[in-house]
Amino acid sequence: MKLNTLLAGVAGLAFFVPGVAFAQDAADDSSGGVGEIVVTAQKRSESLNKVGLTVQAMTGDDLLKQGVKDVGDLAKVVPSLTVANSIYNTPVYTLRGVGFYENSLAAYPAVSVYVDEVPMPFPALVGTAALDVQRVEVLKGPQGTLFGQNATGGAINYIAAKPTDIFKAGLNASVDSFGEVDADGYVSGPLSDSLKARISARTAQGGGWQKSVSRPDDKKLGDKDLFMGRVLLDWQATDRLKFELNVNGMVDKSDPQAGQYIALFPQVGPVGAELAATPFAPSKPRAADWNPDRRPKGDDRQWQVALRGDYDLTDDVTLTSITSYVDFKRKQINDPDGVASEALEFLFDGRLKSFSQELRIASSGTRWNWMLGANYEHTTSKEFADQHVAQSSVVANLGFPANSNTFFLNSQIDNYAVFANADYELLPDLKLKGGIRYTESKRDAQTCTKDAGNGGAAAFFTATSTAIRQAIDPTAAATPAIPVGGCVTLDEATFLPTSYSNSLNEENVSWRVGLDYQALRQLLLYANISKGYKAGSFLFTNASSTAQFAPVKQESVLAFEGGFKASMLDGAAQFNLAGFYYKYTDKQTRGKRIDPVFGVLDALVNVPKSSLMGVEAELMLEPVDGLNLKVGGTYINSRIDEYTGVGFIGGVKDFEGNSLPFAPDLSVNASADYDFAVTDSVNLFFGGTVTHNSSTYSVIDTDAATAKLDAYTLVDLRAGVSFADRYRLTVFGHNVFNEYYFTNAPILYDTQVRYTGRPASYGVSLSANF
C-alpha cells in the first residue's frame, strides 16, 4: 500500500473508525462524562491524557461486565490483539500484527505480560494474571526501554486489586449453557495499623463443548478443572518504607482444545489406511476429534512469590526493588491432529523456573522526571515429548517404526540489563522524553530426538545414516549402531547421530525519544521514535537432522508513531487518534525446511526485511447520564519486503509482498452500556459488545489457502439488575449469533487443523460485595 493511500485512510478512520485506548479508571470525575483515566504505563501513576503513548486500559469492573476472565479474553475488547492456541496449548499473543508463534514453553513472546510490573516472562505463566484485577493496561508498540526486550509488539500490565483499609469482601459466580461454573471471590482488610491483606481465589469447573465427529455419543471435550489463589500483604514498615508481597498459585487440569481436521498433505507418500479414510470435519464450531485411547488432558501447576519494596530516599526520590520467582510444571496429553486415529499425538512434560530482580531509583518533579535501573533474569526450562505417529506417511512408506521416538529441549537463559528513562519540560506545555536500555542475553540449549527405548528409532536412523553416508562416499563404513534410548538426530555435516548443543550470545540497545505538546488544556499532541528487540530462540521439535534445530537470532524493530488525545464536550467525549510505521529487521517467525528423508518439516526463520503501517482511533461518549458508548479500531497493512524460503506446502518461493501472520487488516471493537435507576436502591442495566476482525493468515505463506483465517464478527449481550450498589444479577449471551470462526490453522505433519472459537453460549451470573 502506498503511503498517500494510508494517510487518506488515517483521515477517514479519524471520522469513521475510532479506537486506541479504552479506559475507565476508578478515579471518577464528579462532573460526569467519561472520567479521568489513570495509568502506570511509565511505571508511575499519571492521567492517560497526559501520557504520549498508545495505551488501552479497562477496570476490573469493565472486565467483569464483558466476560473477560483471562488474558486470552482480552482479544474480545482490545482492537489489534489476537490470541492463538498452539499445538502444546501455549497461547500466542499478537498486537498490531507483531507476534511470535512458537510451541516451546521457553519461547519469549513479542507481547510481554506483567502483574504489578512483575514479569510473567513466558506465555505459559500468565494463568493467574487476571485474578482479582483492579485494572489492566495494554501498551501498544515497542516497550523495550521500561519493560525490557521481548516487548516489540507491546506489553500487557495487570494491576491487582490491593488490600483495603477497611474490611471488604466480594463474590462473583456464573454458570453457562455448557454447564461451566465459574466463581471467584476475595476478602480484604487490615491486620494491624501497618499491615493489610487481601486473599483472592477462583475456580472454574465443567463446560465441555467440543463434540467428537466419529463418536457422537462420546463424552464432550473442553471441561475446565481450574483452581487458583493469591495472597497480597501490604506492610507500611515506616513512613518512608513499604513492602508488597504477592504469593500466588494455580492448578489447572482443564482439557486442551482438540483440532478440527481440514486438510491432508502427505509428506512422503500415502498415509495410513485409517487416516486416509477419515473425512474432513464439518464447518461447525463444536466439531473436532481425538483418539479415545489417548484423550487430551492437561495438568498445569504453578506457584510464584514476588516482593516489592519502596523506600523514599527524599520526598521526591524513591528506591524500588522488585523480586520474583515462579515455578511452573506441565503434563499434558495433546492430540492436535483432529482425527480419531493416531496421526500425530504427544505426551508432554515440561518445567520452567524463572527468577528476576529489578532495582531502580526514580525522581518526580514539576519540570522533569527520571529513572535509573538494572534488571537480571535467570530461567531454566526442561521440555520432553513422547510422539505417536502410527498413521503418518513416514510409517506407511519409509518403514519408520511407530511410537519409537521422543524429543527434548533443555534451556538455560540469563539476561542482564541497565536502563534509564526521563522526561523534561523544555517549555511550558512542551515535554521532551527519552529512554535507553542495554541488554545482554545468553541462552544455552541442549536438544535431540531420541529412541523411545524400544530400539525402533535407533535401528531406523542407523540404517538411514549409513545409506546417506555411503551415497555420498561408497567407501564409507557403516554407521555404528545407535544404542537403544540414544540420540538419533543426524549431524547436518557428517550425517552421524549426535545430540545438539548451541548458545545464543546477544546484546542490544533499545531506545525511545519523543515529544509531548499540550496544545490546549484538553488536547495532547505527541510523537515518538523507538527501537526495540526480541531475543533469539531455539525450536522444540522432533528433528531428523541438526539443521532443523538452527535458532533464530534476535529481531529488531524501528517504530515511528504520532497522534493526539482530545477531551471534548466538557468531558462527555474523548477522542484519540494515532498513526504508526514499523520497520523490521530479522523478524522471527515459524517456517518450513525441506528434509531429504522426511519431507517438509518445521523450522524457525528470520525474515530479513518486513514492515507494517497502520492507524488506530478511539471514541468514548457519555451522551446522557448512565449511557457509556465506546468504539475503537485498528487498520494495519503488513508486508514482507525480503524473504525467500520454503513454502508451507512444499517448494522454495519468494515471499515478498505477503502479509505477516495473525495481522488482520481491520480490527474493531464497540460496546454500549446503559445503567439507570428505577428506585432509590434498584438499578437496571443492559449492554453489548461487538468485535470484528478481518481475514488474516496463520502462516506467512498466503498461497496456503487452508491457512486463511476468515473474517468474523462476534456479538455479546448482557442485562440485569443491581441492588443498593452491592448485589448484581446478570443474564448474558456470548457469540449470540453463533458465528463460526477460528483463531489458528496450523499445518502439522501430513495434516492441517483449525482451532475454532466457542459457539453461542448463555448464562447467568451473580455478584455481591460486602
Side-chain angles (χ1 to χ4, degrees):
M1 175 179 286
K2 295 182 179 179
L3 182 58
N4 58 352
T5 305
L6 177 65
L7 293 176
V10 171
L13 282 174
F15 290 96
F16 298 112
V17 191
V20 158
F22 292 169
Q24 185 82 29
D25 204 296
D28 294 330
D29 187 342
S30 59
S31 63
V34 296
E36 183 185 4
I37 302 166
V38 178
V39 296
T40 53
Q42 300 187 102
K43 297 193 174 182
R44 64 177 188 268
S45 296
E46 301 172 280
S47 170
L48 181 57
N49 277 2
K50 303 295 183 181
V51 179
L53 294 172
T54 304
V55 184
Q56 180 167 338
M58 299 183 71
T59 66
D61 190 56
D62 289 335
L63 299 176
L64 178 64
K65 287 179 181 178
Q66 301 192 55
V68 178
K69 298 178 180 179
D70 54 41
V71 180
D73 286 339
L74 283 177
K76 298 195 303 182
V77 296
V78 178
S80 80
L81 175 65
T82 66
V83 181
N85 196 26
S86 75
I87 65 172
Y88 296 133
N89 206 40
T90 301
V92 177
Y93 306 118
T94 303
L95 188 58
R96 283 183 173 175
V98 180
F100 179 52
Y101 184 88
E102 164 54 358
N103 301 319
S104 171
L105 287 181
Y108 283 117
V111 180
S112 297
V113 178
Y114 289 75
V115 177
D116 290 336
E117 301 176 19
V118 175
M120 316 295 278
F122 304 97
L125 304 179
V126 305
T128 60
L131 174 64
D132 193 20
V133 172
Q134 177 183 333
R135 71 177 181 276
V136 61
E137 302 168 0
V138 181
L139 288 63
K140 299 185 179 182
Q143 303 295 325
T145 54
L146 284 177
F147 288 90
Q149 64 174 357
N150 313 316
T152 47
I156 300 172
N157 188 26
Y158 280 90
I159 290 84
K162 299 299 187 289
T164 51
D165 293 325
I166 60 175
F167 175 81
K168 289 187 177 182
L171 174 69
N172 304 297
S174 67
V175 60
D176 71 10
S177 51
F178 288 113
E180 180 180 333
V181 177
D182 197 312
D184 65 85
Y186 74 92
V187 177
S188 177
L191 300 179
S192 70
D193 291 341
S194 60
L195 183 64
K196 297 180 293 184
R198 189 180 185 107
I199 301 174
S200 309
R202 179 191 171 204
T203 183
Q205 301 293 320
W209 60 278
Q210 289 193 290
K211 290 183 176 180
S212 168
V213 174
S214 63
R215 304 176 308 281
D217 296 330
D218 198 0
K219 180 184 176 183
K220 297 178 179 64
L221 191 71
D223 275 337
K224 295 284 186 66
D225 186 0
L226 168 68
F227 297 91
M228 65 175 66
R230 181 172 64 212
V231 177
L232 295 180
L233 293 175
D234 285 4
W235 180 37
Q236 190 72 46
T238 69
D239 290 342
R240 291 187 175 273
L241 177 63
K242 63 180 179 180
F243 293 97
E244 297 176 3
L245 177 66
N246 180 335
V247 180
N248 62 81
M250 175 189 72
V251 176
D252 187 359
K253 296 185 178 183
S254 304
D255 296 340
Q257 185 173 353
Q260 186 178 88
Y261 176 45
I262 62 169
L264 181 65
F265 299 110
Q267 295 299 314
V268 289
V271 296
E274 288 184 39
L275 179 56
T278 302
F280 298 142
S283 296
K284 297 179 180 180
R286 302 182 69 178
D289 224 339
W290 55 92
N291 187 340
D293 298 325
R294 202 169 286 120
R295 181 183 175 88
K297 185 62 179 176
D299 187 357
D300 291 355
R301 298 168 185 264
Q302 176 178 317
W303 64 271
Q304 181 186 35
V305 58
L307 178 65
R308 173 174 177 152
D310 291 284
Y311 181 65
D312 295 331
L313 299 173
T314 70
D315 291 343
D316 299 323
V317 180
T318 301
L319 177 67
T320 299
S321 170
I322 300 177
T323 308
S324 171
Y325 178 79
V326 59
D327 188 312
F328 175 86
K329 298 178 182 179
R330 168 170 287 176
K331 288 182 178 290
Q332 284 189 351
I333 301 174
N334 293 94
D335 189 358
D337 55 37
V339 296
S341 58
E342 191 180 281
L344 183 64
E345 300 167 9
F346 302 99
L347 304 180
F348 178 86
D349 192 346
R351 186 168 189 178
L352 272 173
K353 298 179 182 180
S354 185
F355 169 83
S356 67
Q357 173 66 54
E358 178 167 299
L359 190 66
R360 66 178 190 246
I361 185 171
S363 174
S364 59
T366 56
R367 292 200 62 181
W368 80 305
N369 301 278
W370 55 264
M371 180 183 296
L372 299 172
N375 182 275
Y376 170 68
E377 178 204 334
H378 174 72
T379 296
T380 60
S381 72
K382 294 183 178 182
E383 301 175 74
F384 171 86
D386 182 3
Q387 180 173 276
H388 298 264
V389 292
Q391 289 294 305
S392 73
S393 59
V394 295
V395 173
N397 298 279
L398 301 181
F400 187 82
N403 310 331
S404 64
N405 67 283
T406 64
F407 54 98
F408 74 92
L409 172 64
N410 296 335
S411 300
Q412 303 83 39
I413 307 168
D414 287 284
N415 293 318
Y416 306 84
V418 292
F419 60 92
N421 196 74
D423 56 68
Y424 180 71
E425 190 176 276
L426 294 171
L427 299 168
D429 301 321
L430 180 63
K431 181 189 298 183
L432 173 67
K433 56 193 180 181
I436 190 168
R437 186 184 193 102
Y438 170 77
T439 302
E440 182 178 321
S441 178
K442 181 179 181 181
R443 177 189 285 250
D444 297 322
Q446 304 85 39
T447 183
C448 81
T449 301
K450 299 181 67 176
D451 178 84
N454 54 26
F460 178 87
F461 277 94
T462 298
T464 300
S465 172
T466 298
I468 294 174
R469 293 173 57 248
Q470 291 182 349
I472 297 172
D473 179 7
T475 65
T479 299
I482 301 173
V484 173
C487 287
V488 299
T489 305
L490 303 183
D491 185 272
E492 61 182 302
T494 66
F495 299 102
L496 292 171
T498 186
S499 61
Y500 178 86
S501 297
N502 200 354
S503 296
L504 280 171
N505 297 289
E506 300 173 324
E507 58 182 3
N508 59 70
V509 178
S510 300
W511 53 266
R512 177 172 66 93
V513 295
L515 286 171
D516 291 352
Y517 176 49
Q518 197 72 47
L520 301 170
R521 186 176 65 87
Q522 296 177 320
L523 176 63
L524 175 71
L525 307 177
Y526 65 92
N528 299 312
I529 305 174
S530 60
K531 189 162 188 178
Y533 290 83
K534 181 188 173 303
S537 188
F538 289 90
L539 183 67
F540 176 55
T541 192
N542 179 21
S544 63
S545 82
T546 56
Q548 197 177 349
F549 288 136
V552 284
K553 59 184 178 181
Q554 66 182 0
E555 68 180 27
S556 66
V557 58
L558 181 63
F560 303 84
E561 181 168 345
F564 66 80
K565 300 177 180 181
S567 177
M568 302 174 291
L569 304 178
D570 293 327
Q574 177 73 36
F575 180 52
N576 304 322
L577 179 69
F580 51 91
Y581 175 74
Y582 297 168
K583 192 70 175 177
Y584 262 97
T585 301
D586 292 324
K587 181 75 182 74
Q588 301 170 358
T589 190
R590 191 86 172 187
K592 295 288 185 178
R593 66 177 300 273
I594 297 175
D595 182 89
V597 177
F598 293 98
V600 181
L601 302 177
D602 286 338
L604 294 178
V605 299
N606 286 108
V607 175
K609 295 181 180 180
S610 56
S611 57
L612 185 152
M613 61 179 66
V615 61
E616 294 187 332
E618 173 197 38
L619 179 65
M620 295 184 292
L621 290 170
E622 188 175 357
V624 298
D625 188 34
L627 176 60
N628 288 282
L629 305 175
K630 302 177 184 180
V631 59
T634 306
Y635 177 79
I636 294 173
N637 179 261
S638 65
R639 187 179 190 277
I640 292 175
D641 299 315
E642 178 186 321
Y643 175 60
T644 298
V646 177
F648 275 65
I649 52 177
V652 176
K653 62 179 293 185
D654 186 352
F655 288 89
E656 182 179 349
N658 286 16
S659 60
L660 295 174
F662 303 108
D665 290 346
L666 182 63
S667 301
V668 178
N669 172 268
S671 67
D673 285 283
Y674 185 42
D675 190 317
F676 59 96
V678 292
T679 72
D680 290 342
S681 60
V682 178
N683 278 37
L684 296 179
F685 60 88
F686 57 87
T689 301
V690 178
T691 304
H692 172 79
N693 279 328
S694 63
S695 63
T696 183
Y697 283 81
S698 63
V699 298
I700 59 173
D701 189 352
T702 55
D703 289 335
T706 51
K708 183 179 181 180
L709 309 179
D710 293 335
Y712 63 87
T713 301
L714 306 178
V715 178
D716 291 357
L717 297 176
R718 51 192 172 268
V721 58
S722 62
F723 304 90
D725 293 326
R726 295 183 64 179
Y727 307 99
R728 181 165 57 192
L729 179 67
T730 305
V731 293
F732 60 84
H734 295 157
N735 189 12
V736 295
F737 295 111
N738 203 31
E739 180 88 339
Y740 172 61
Y741 70 105
F742 32 96
T743 59
N744 195 8
I747 298 174
L748 311 175
Y749 193 81
D750 291 330
T751 66
Q752 183 181 8
V753 299
R754 286 176 179 161
Y755 287 112
T756 61
R758 281 172 60 112
S761 64
Y762 305 89
V764 60
S765 67
L766 174 66
S767 300
N769 291 286
F770 308 98

